[in-house]
Amino acid sequence: MRAVRFVIVGGFLGAGKTTLLCRLAERYVELGGKVGFITNDQADNLVDTKLVELRGFQAKEIPGGCFCCRFDELIIAAEEFVRETQLEILLGEPVGSCADLAATVIQPLRRKYKDLFELAPFSVAVDPFRLEELLMKEGRGKFRTLLTYLTEIFILKRKKPRFPASIAYLFAKQLEEADIIVLNKVDLLSETDRRRMLGFLKERFADAVVVLVSARTGEGLDRWLAVLKQDLSAGREPLEIDYDRYAEAEAELGWLNATFKVSQKDGFEAGVLLQELALDLRERFSLQKAEIAHLKMFLGSGGRGVSVSLVRNEAEPELSEEGEDTIHEATLTINGRVHISPELLRQAVAGGVDAVTRKLGINYSMAQLSSFRPAYPTPKYRYNTAAEE
Ligand SMILES: Nc1nc2c(ncn2[C@@H]2O[C@H](COP(=O)(O)OP(=O)(O)O)[C@@H](O)[C@H]2O)c(=O)[nH]1
Ligand SMILES: [Mg+2]
């Protein structure tokens, strides 16, 4: 059996990994490749898996922890997938709060499974707004002093929710281990901002190749594809990372995966429900000064589906399509990753679904809900030195 090309795209929650991977998949299919997805999360019922399948791609889900902590499951799923479908290219999306993948996933794959997989350079996607907020603004990414903290609270009386310094640390670590940094969403940037951010990334992460891409418009995709073909010794440098700080950052986030059954005799529009719900939840989180990392919802009915995504409190919810068809029964899947306790996250989602369905006259029942903080990362393997070539 020929080794399967394995393309892994990491990066923080909401950076655009799923959208980028779908773009890559379309391009590989055009070029005659047979492609499959491996999605990954701390729990099951993933919006990403549904999105990928809706676009006609096959996917396998690895729930219950990131690739590094579920390494054996990753191997089993990948082997099975390849055997069943004769895949040539496997696209992997690790959990958006995961770091240290070079040492715990890429190196073990390169060393122990080199007959099975041929690893593409490791891409890490980054959202320009998060980059600006977490790394480029003065004083972020370092511990803030007590004085700046007090100034923010009492003098500036800042209202905006913000991530803590540990999340900025995790965000920086994710970028530090990239072979390729994909600055995504460049369709939203001016020429000046593009240049400024490119300059910053090149200086701060000098070992990485930086590509500017828009998963939305397809800009920059060819250049990224060309770099992906190069042999950059994927995951060459193991990261220096403090696992306690990394774990602290992950545990700052409340995580929620839930599904609800919704129905209405006369029918309702999927887009309206999703949009209203996203706005309602955004308001609830903003009132609690809880920053949204990524809130994704999917409404699926009879093989069709519409999704909505919100990646910051200050952003507008984005629907995958208008969703104007009238539907009578559907399954609503909610994946929330928010800087709030799991209990408050659960209350917000349960309260939001109740209020919005009531307003729209839609019946609902909860089918499943789990909300928790990600556990301390415990990778199965960790290599401290780069693989011998
Ligand atoms: N404007 C713009 N939005 C994008 C782009 N790529 C992704 N997005 C949006 O960013 C949000 C998060 O994308 P997603 O792929 O789910 O991110 P993930 O959490 O990293 O997998 C969605 O609303 C996407 O439509 C892009 O290139 N430009
Ligand atoms: Mg995703």
Side-chain angles (χ1 to χ4, degrees):
M1 195 168 70
R2 248 188 71 208
V4 170
R5 183 92 174 142
F6 197 0
V7 182
I8 303 178
V9 178
F12 194 66
L13 301 150
K17 299 178 291 297
T18 310
T19 320
L20 285 164
L21 281 166
C22 284
R23 275 276 179 188
L24 276 188
E26 283 162 11
R27 197 55 74 91
Y28 286 135
V29 168
E30 276 166 25
L31 297 171
K34 204 157 188 315
V35 179
F37 277 75
I38 300 233
T39 55
N40 174 221
D41 192 45
Q42 310 281 5
D44 52 11
N45 284 317
L46 273 192
V47 168
D48 284 356
T49 312
K50 296 184 196 310
L51 287 177
V52 164
E53 287 174 345
L54 193 69
R55 292 193 167 107
F57 300 112
Q58 288 182 295
K60 268 198 200 288
E61 196 171 289
I62 315 257
C66 47
F67 284 156
C68 50
C69 303
R70 291 274 172 273
F71 190 83
D72 288 341
E73 285 88 337
L74 169 66
I75 297 297
I76 293 166
E79 277 190 307
E80 218 177 73
F81 207 3
V82 172
R83 206 173 338 104
E84 286 165 4
T85 60
Q86 271 87 52
L87 286 182
E88 291 153 347
I89 301 157
L90 198 55
L91 302 174
E93 176 177 347
V95 184
S97 62
C98 191
D100 203 26
L101 282 143
T104 63
V105 177
I106 292 167
Q107 287 300 344
L109 286 172
R110 281 176 72 99
R111 292 177 188 219
K112 299 173 74 71
Y113 296 94
K114 57 170 175 278
D115 297 338
L116 278 177
F117 304 108
E118 178 201 295
L119 269 290
F122 178 37
S123 301
V124 176
V126 60
D127 175 310
F129 293 92
R130 288 280 179 228
L131 176 67
E132 178 91 53
E133 168 203 74
L134 292 171
L135 293 193
M136 293 176 73
K137 281 215 176 119
E138 222 182 348
R140 298 299 300 175
K142 302 188 180 100
F143 284 113
R144 276 177 295 158
T145 62
L146 184 61
L147 184 66
T148 54
Y149 181 70
L150 293 175
T151 309
E152 279 176 6
I153 299 287
F154 295 107
I155 301 177
L156 302 175
K157 294 201 172 49
R158 104 183 129 73
K159 294 247 173 14
K160 276 195 330 197
R162 257 192 175 177
F163 284 138
S166 59
I167 290 189
Y169 173 80
L170 168 68
F171 187 87
K173 288 290 158 188
Q174 290 182 322
L175 290 169
E176 233 173 78
E177 62 173 340
D179 298 315
I180 307 174
I181 293 178
V182 182
L183 177 63
N184 189 31
K185 311 191 187 182
V186 295
D187 55 291
L188 302 175
L189 296 181
S190 68
E191 225 12 85
T192 318
D193 281 337
R194 287 174 182 218
R195 241 178 285 122
R196 195 168 55 85
M197 290 187 171
L198 179 65
F200 174 85
L201 288 169
K202 278 188 162 167
E203 195 189 321
R204 170 103 184 237
F205 306 102
D207 291 340
V209 178
V210 183
V211 289
L212 271 58
V213 175
S214 166
R216 180 154 297 174
T217 65
E219 183 188 342
L221 203 68
D222 287 332
R223 161 114 173 91
W224 182 27
L225 272 164
V227 185
L228 272 173
K229 272 198 215 143
Q230 294 173 11
D231 180 15
L232 299 174
S233 309
R236 60 203 182 253
E237 280 304 323
L239 198 59
E240 266 181 44
I241 183 166
D242 174 347
Y243 262 64
D244 288 344
R245 269 189 99 187
Y246 164 27
E248 183 192 320
E250 281 203 292
E252 287 284 355
L253 296 167
W255 216 268
L256 175 141
N257 285 10
T259 50
F260 295 84
K261 299 281 172 207
V262 288
S263 63
Q264 193 191 58
K265 212 157 52 33
D266 299 333
F268 62 97
E269 284 181 23
V272 173
L273 173 60
L274 290 176
Q275 176 79 9
E276 293 263 342
L277 198 50
L279 292 173
D280 178 284
L281 292 175
R282 184 178 70 173
E283 180 65 14
R284 284 170 198 262
F285 295 131
S286 294
L287 283 173
Q288 299 188 66
K289 299 223 165 70
E291 175 71 352
I292 297 165
H294 200 175
L295 175 68
K296 293 175 278 191
M297 296 185 275
F298 182 87
L299 198 68
S301 170
R304 303 196 53 184
V306 184
S307 68
V308 71
S309 206
L310 191 57
V311 293
R312 290 174 289 127
N313 297 45
E314 280 182 81
E316 290 308 312
E318 291 181 340
L319 285 169
S320 58
E321 53 175 281
E322 295 298 318
E324 285 171 343
D325 290 352
T326 303
I327 48 177
H328 298 270
E329 262 182 17
T331 302
L332 171 67
T333 305
I334 303 184
N335 292 172
R337 291 84 180 88
V338 183
H339 183 218
I340 195 171
S341 77
E343 179 50 27
L344 291 175
L345 177 55
R346 189 193 64 74
Q347 283 174 20
V349 168
V353 170
D354 191 68
V356 172
T357 50
R358 193 186 306 240
K359 180 174 155 195
L360 299 175
I362 296 170
N363 302 309
Y364 81 94
S365 63
M366 188 191 288
Q368 172 272 339
L369 185 147
S370 57
S371 85
F372 55 90
R373 289 181 205 282
Y376 198 99
T378 49
K380 164 134 189 171
Y381 300 105
R382 183 166 202 282
Y383 289 101
N384 283 316
T385 51
E388 312 220 326
E389 297 301 322

